[in-house]
Amino acid sequence: MTIKEKLILNKLPRHIAIIMDGNGRWALQKGNSRIFGHKNGVNAVRNVVEACAELQIEYLTLYAFSTENWYRPKTEVNALMSLLISALNTEIKKLIKNNIRLLTIGNLEDLPQRVYKKLSEAIEITSKNTGLSLILALSYSARWEITNAAKKLAEDVINKKINIGNISDKEFENYLTTVNIPDPELLIRTSGEYRISNFLLWQIAYSELYFTKKLWPDFCKDDLYEAIYDYQQRERRFGKTSEQLKNQVNE
Ligand code: FPP
């Protein structure tokens, strides 16, 4: 039985989020430049998007460029921006053909004009697609997102659009960049690092975390199935007891 065949199809996560890490180390191990690692990282992105679409996963969020990544050497930042444009150019047909809707989260105003334009075009062209929603986190950090949400909420309080008494966690979510997107049930990080690195801090409150030593360019469909399989073996209690969950099922 293959790992894909072992998956329980009615127990798939609706939303998978991935911290794609290890491009640089992968390239250095091969005596190549970090940029070579990012280029090969695009192949892994293609495979994972394809696998999620095949499994009919609803949302896939990829941490493609963090707020902190702007502090990398200028040549690397420029190469990543160019890579994003060339990937959008080559993959757009496939996104359309496979009914994939492209979305972004992050401070897009920080992106170079050419990247912003290309992304906006791709988002517009795929906006009516009803299959997988592929969400690219670009110039994103969770602390930026939460601070930004707090500012917008404060503005609405000042403008009397909302009463302080009515602010709940559900209401707060309306101010996050992920509004209307369900929280990820599964968060994957590659490369053997055990960190969250400022990614979706609010949304992963109850996510199952999965860490693998694989470097991102080596991450393939079977690795994704392995992560989902692992997720499916877990008991998600959301603060309740095991007994309560069993009784819920039997009710
Ligand atoms: C982390 O590896 C990876 C990134 C900062 C960028 C991820 C970008 C891609 C996979 C390519 C473009 C993406 C799309 C969606 C087309 P790292 O550089 O931190 O690796 P290291 O930890 O080994 O140095």
Side-chain angles (χ1 to χ4, degrees):
M1 208 178 193
T2 64
I3 181 71
K4 189 180 182 188
E5 286 163 349
K6 281 193 197 165
L7 298 180
I8 307 160
L9 293 179
N10 61 9
K11 209 183 157 189
L12 291 170
R14 289 182 72 194
H15 184 175
I16 299 176
I18 308 185
I19 302 175
M20 311 181 287
D21 195 15
N23 292 351
R25 275 164 284 165
W26 183 90
L28 291 180
Q29 279 174 11
K30 294 186 159 36
N32 235 308
S33 71
R34 298 178 52 81
I35 294 163
F36 179 73
H38 295 314
K39 283 186 180 153
N40 281 274
V42 177
N43 298 333
V45 169
R46 190 179 303 116
N47 289 336
V48 164
V49 170
E50 226 175 76
C52 285
E54 281 164 11
L55 286 175
Q56 297 180 359
I57 302 284
E58 291 175 63
Y59 301 89
L60 171 66
T61 301
L62 301 177
Y63 204 4
F65 195 87
S66 72
T67 310
E68 290 75 21
N69 286 154
W70 290 114
Y71 301 107
R72 289 196 174 191
K74 208 163 180 273
T75 45
E76 184 170 342
V77 170
N78 288 342
L80 278 166
M81 293 298 137
S82 300
L83 203 54
L84 194 58
I85 293 190
S86 71
L88 286 170
N89 279 334
T90 54
E91 305 301 323
I92 187 75
K93 280 201 195 98
K94 242 182 268 166
L95 295 184
I96 297 167
K97 182 168 165 265
N98 292 304
N99 196 21
I100 297 169
R101 177 172 68 136
L102 185 72
L103 299 170
T104 48
I105 53 171
N107 193 3
L108 300 190
E109 287 168 16
D110 281 352
L111 295 172
Q113 193 57 29
R114 63 195 173 106
V115 179
Y116 183 82
K117 194 163 167 272
K118 184 56 64 188
L119 269 172
S120 309
E121 279 167 21
I123 290 169
E124 171 60 27
I125 295 170
T126 62
S127 64
K128 301 274 180 321
N129 290 351
T130 54
L132 173 70
S133 290
L134 169 61
I135 304 155
L136 296 183
L138 291 163
S139 195
Y140 173 89
S141 78
R143 287 185 177 178
W144 163 81
E145 176 183 43
I146 294 169
T147 310
N148 211 37
K151 279 189 205 162
K152 287 192 283 179
L153 181 56
E155 240 171 57
D156 280 358
V157 170
I158 289 170
N159 294 327
K160 303 207 180 326
K161 288 188 185 160
I162 183 167
N163 287 323
I164 290 183
N166 289 339
I167 299 174
S168 60
D169 61 346
K170 277 279 153 264
E171 183 57 39
F172 192 79
E173 284 174 359
N174 291 330
Y175 294 83
L176 295 172
T177 57
T178 49
V179 58
N180 296 328
I181 298 171
D183 290 343
E185 292 92 341
L186 173 61
L187 171 74
I188 300 171
R189 181 172 189 145
T190 59
S191 93
E193 306 286 1
Y194 301 95
R195 286 191 290 276
I196 301 300
S197 300
N198 217 347
F199 189 43
L200 300 177
L201 293 179
W202 177 283
Q203 297 85 345
I204 61 165
Y206 278 102
S207 301
E208 295 299 325
L209 309 183
Y210 179 87
F211 298 97
T212 167
K213 287 204 159 51
K214 276 267 176 107
L215 302 176
W216 178 250
D218 285 333
F219 193 83
C220 62
K221 285 185 180 184
D222 274 355
D223 294 315
L224 182 80
Y225 304 145
E226 197 70 60
I228 298 175
Y229 180 75
D230 192 277
Y231 157 84
Q232 292 186 328
Q233 310 312 306
R234 302 190 192 180
E235 182 182 61
R236 306 190 73 211
R237 289 195 293 276
F238 301 97
K240 294 186 177 173
T241 67
S242 228
E243 285 65 34
Q244 281 177 305
L245 293 180
K246 279 178 199 123
N247 290 339
Q248 258 174 19
V249 173
N250 296 333
E251 269 166 18

